Amino acid sequence: MSRKTKHAEKIEKELASSDASNAISRGAAALNRYTSLRKKRSRKSILKGCATVFGTTLAAVIIVAWIYISGINASLRAGIDNALLNQLHVTEAGNPFYILLLGVDKDQNRVNSKEYGTDEHAYRSDSIMLARVDPKNKKVTLVSIHRDTLVDMGKNGKQKINAAYALGGASYATEVISKFAGVPISHYADIDFDNFVSVVDTIGGIDVNVPIKVDDSKGTGQVVEAGQQTLNGQQALVLCRARHAYDAYGDGDMYRAANQRMVISAIGKKILQLDPVTMATVIAKLSGSVTTDMDVNSIIGLATSLRGLNAATDIYHGMEPTTSKYVNQTWYEICNTTAWKKMMQRVDQGLSPYESEDDNPTKGLAGVTGGINNSPNGSGSSSSNSSGTNNTSSTTDATEYSGSVHVLNAAGVTGLAGRISNSLSNQGFNAVADTAKSNYSNTLIVYNGDHEARANAVNKALGGDIQVIKNDGSYDTSYDVILIVGADKSNG
């Protein structure tokens, strides 16, 4: 009995020891599983937390970017109304389209004047430019329209084309200019040049070639030297505003327009070289001086589509062909409609406005921009084409619009003889500007020999109300015709 008891006790001890070992093993295994699960759960919690933080940060960045871009868009589109949008033509993506660019004069002295009143529509378009953009072929054409062009505005009568903005704002200006140019306009932008050129400093200046020294001491009070150079914002503004610097050569508006095309081309060239983020920053800078129907995305998209454009050959430029005429005590620019129609037909075909650089009235004096293209959608060329046509037309016999004319400024108004001389030269005369030895109250035309027909042609070009006499020996005999411009022709 006692032996069985001892044996039993031994067995019980062995069993107990075995159970304890198994229990310890099971406990250790359970602990290992628990620890492993805790680690997995911790890693998941950390990843989940990181994902939450990243998602929150990304959402915040997107919201900030959206607010930023929305703010730029709101600034760009400020003042764009349904009346204007209804005037704009919808163009299929990739097809050529036209943008109307207006340099609007927002001088408060003008707005608060008795002549124009206090309404914001008192602003007049100081410069008018059509840009044809061809994204597929990566080409841009800039055509300036003279602000003093006389046009028929129907119920508003015959007025200078820049009055359209004052009469009916952006929508009416778009309507009038679209009709005048004979092309649909898809986008609109008005530019305050005073602020616009501030972007030049943001992009590190612009590279241009200025043909002659621009001494605008009488206007902006600044001077831009001649030659290839990098301009800062202030210098670019001088080129965009200077008119009187060209008084000795003729109509300052025409030379200023050429310089504006050059500056805009140079700015565009620089912007096309920027990455999208920097480009958005520059657009933000521009938004304070540009009003347009386009938003940030469409502007960046357009710029991206034009990457690779060669500014030296693939940007074309031109100026509406006009002649000056004195009507009802005011100087107007009369469009040479035949030449203008031909120019816009070329532009619409993807050709350069001019067949030859010799057709460019500002050649060698202002605005060195782009090339010549006489092959539809072909590459431009900076070389001249000797087959260029004369951008003038006349209902008068061609022989009358010829010969030498000595234009004498007898009114004491700076640049008057130059402007008239330039106008006559555009019509076929060989005109030379000079200053009279004394002042005249009334304008007089004097002809030598048998050149009465030429004298009458000069008279007609200037309104047809000038006295024409034959030289009795009292005047110079070196020219076919002598035009003495008196005080009665000094306005406008």
Side-chain angles (χ1 to χ4, degrees), residues 186-464:
S186 298
H187 295 289
Y188 167 91
D190 70 51
I191 302 169
D192 179 357
F193 273 108
D194 285 2
N195 293 322
F196 176 74
V197 295
S198 65
V199 77
V200 171
D201 294 323
T202 303
I203 59 179
I206 55 173
D207 299 322
V208 298
N209 185 7
V210 182
I212 64 171
K213 179 180 179 180
V214 179
D215 186 348
D216 197 38
S217 302
K218 297 178 182 177
T220 62
Q222 303 291 320
V223 175
V224 176
E225 298 296 335
Q228 183 72 39
Q229 58 195 292
T230 300
L231 300 183
N232 61 29
Q234 183 59 42
Q235 292 170 316
L237 178 60
V238 172
L239 291 185
C240 288
R241 301 293 284 174
R243 287 190 298 150
H244 294 297
Y246 295 93
D247 281 345
Y249 303 100
D251 181 7
D253 280 314
M254 180 172 62
Y255 297 98
R256 177 176 66 171
N259 286 334
Q260 288 173 347
R261 296 193 300 270
M262 178 173 65
V263 168
I264 288 176
S265 298
I267 290 175
K269 178 182 177 181
K270 267 299 192 65
I271 290 178
L272 289 178
Q273 298 170 350
L274 302 176
D275 61 83
V277 175
T278 308
M279 194 180 295
T281 302
V282 172
I283 294 171
K285 178 79 173 177
L286 286 172
S287 65
S289 56
V290 176
T291 299
T292 178
D293 65 294
M294 302 178 74
D295 60 20
V296 174
N297 289 337
S298 58
I299 294 173
I300 292 178
L302 176 60
T304 301
S305 70
L306 289 173
R307 285 190 185 278
L309 177 148
N310 186 336
T313 59
D314 297 332
I315 298 180
Y316 311 132
H317 71 106
M319 179 82 193
E320 170 210 0
T322 65
T323 54
S324 301
K325 190 172 184 179
Y326 196 69
V327 181
N328 297 327
Q329 307 300 309
T330 303
W331 279 102
Y332 292 94
E333 293 296 319
I334 308 302
C335 177
N336 296 329
T337 54
T338 301
W340 173 237
K341 183 177 180 180
K342 180 179 180 179
M343 176 180 283
M344 289 310 300
Q345 286 175 340
R346 287 180 57 83
V347 170
D348 212 36
Q349 293 169 12
L351 306 174
S352 56
Y354 301 128
E355 288 186 83
S356 164
E357 272 297 338
D358 291 336
D359 297 332
N360 177 10
T362 64
K363 178 185 176 182
L365 296 173
V368 178
T369 308
I372 294 294
N373 174 26
N374 289 317
S375 175
N377 298 324
S379 297
S381 169
S382 59
S383 62
S384 295
N385 183 337
S386 61
S387 63
T389 59
N390 189 347
N391 288 333
T392 62
S393 64
S394 173
T395 56
T396 307
D397 186 273
T399 58
E400 294 184 351
Y401 282 72
S402 62
S404 59
V405 181
H406 196 194
V407 183
L408 299 175
N409 185 348
V413 177
T414 302
L416 182 60
R419 175 172 182 169
I420 295 176
S421 175
N422 183 74
S423 174
L424 293 175
S425 294
N426 285 341
Q427 296 179 74
F429 297 101
N430 180 18
V432 177
D434 209 340
T435 303
K437 294 181 180 179
S438 58
N439 290 340
Y440 279 58
S441 298
N442 298 312
T443 300
L444 178 67
I445 296 175
V446 181
Y447 66 90
N448 287 304
D450 58 355
H451 299 306
E452 183 177 5
R454 292 175 178 174
N456 289 332
V458 171
N459 188 16
K460 187 172 182 178
L462 298 177

Side-chain angles (χ1 to χ4, degrees), residues 64-195:
V64 170
W66 180 81
I67 293 173
Y68 177 67
I69 292 175
S70 296
I72 299 174
N73 286 339
S75 181
L76 286 171
R77 296 173 65 89
I80 300 296
D81 55 22
N82 288 332
L84 172 60
L85 295 177
N86 290 336
Q87 287 293 333
L88 300 179
H89 179 80
V90 178
T91 307
E92 292 186 13
N95 287 349
F97 61 89
Y98 289 88
I99 303 176
L100 173 59
L101 303 175
L102 296 183
V104 181
D105 183 357
K106 295 188 176 182
D107 183 350
Q108 291 302 313
N109 292 328
R110 171 184 290 243
V111 177
N112 295 321
S113 69
K114 292 181 180 179
E115 180 181 0
Y116 297 108
T118 58
D119 189 272
E120 66 173 11
H121 287 160
Y123 300 138
R124 289 200 173 203
S125 41
D126 198 43
S127 61
I128 304 170
M129 194 181 303
L130 278 173
R132 181 184 186 268
V133 181
D134 185 347
K136 182 179 179 181
N137 293 294
K138 300 184 186 302
K139 299 188 186 301
V140 174
T141 307
L142 301 175
V143 179
S144 298
I145 297 174
H146 202 296
R147 65 175 185 167
D148 291 339
T149 301
L150 183 63
V151 295
D152 189 345
M153 297 188 192
K155 65 180 181 180
N156 291 312
K158 293 183 177 181
Q159 300 204 40
K160 293 182 179 182
I161 197 168
N162 72 332
Y165 192 98
L167 291 169
S171 60
Y172 188 54
T174 302
E175 177 185 348
V176 169
I177 294 167
S178 177
K179 181 180 179 181
F180 174 73
V183 296
I185 294 173
S186 298
H187 295 289
Y188 167 91
D190 70 51
I191 302 169
D192 179 357
F193 273 108
D194 285 2
N195 293 322

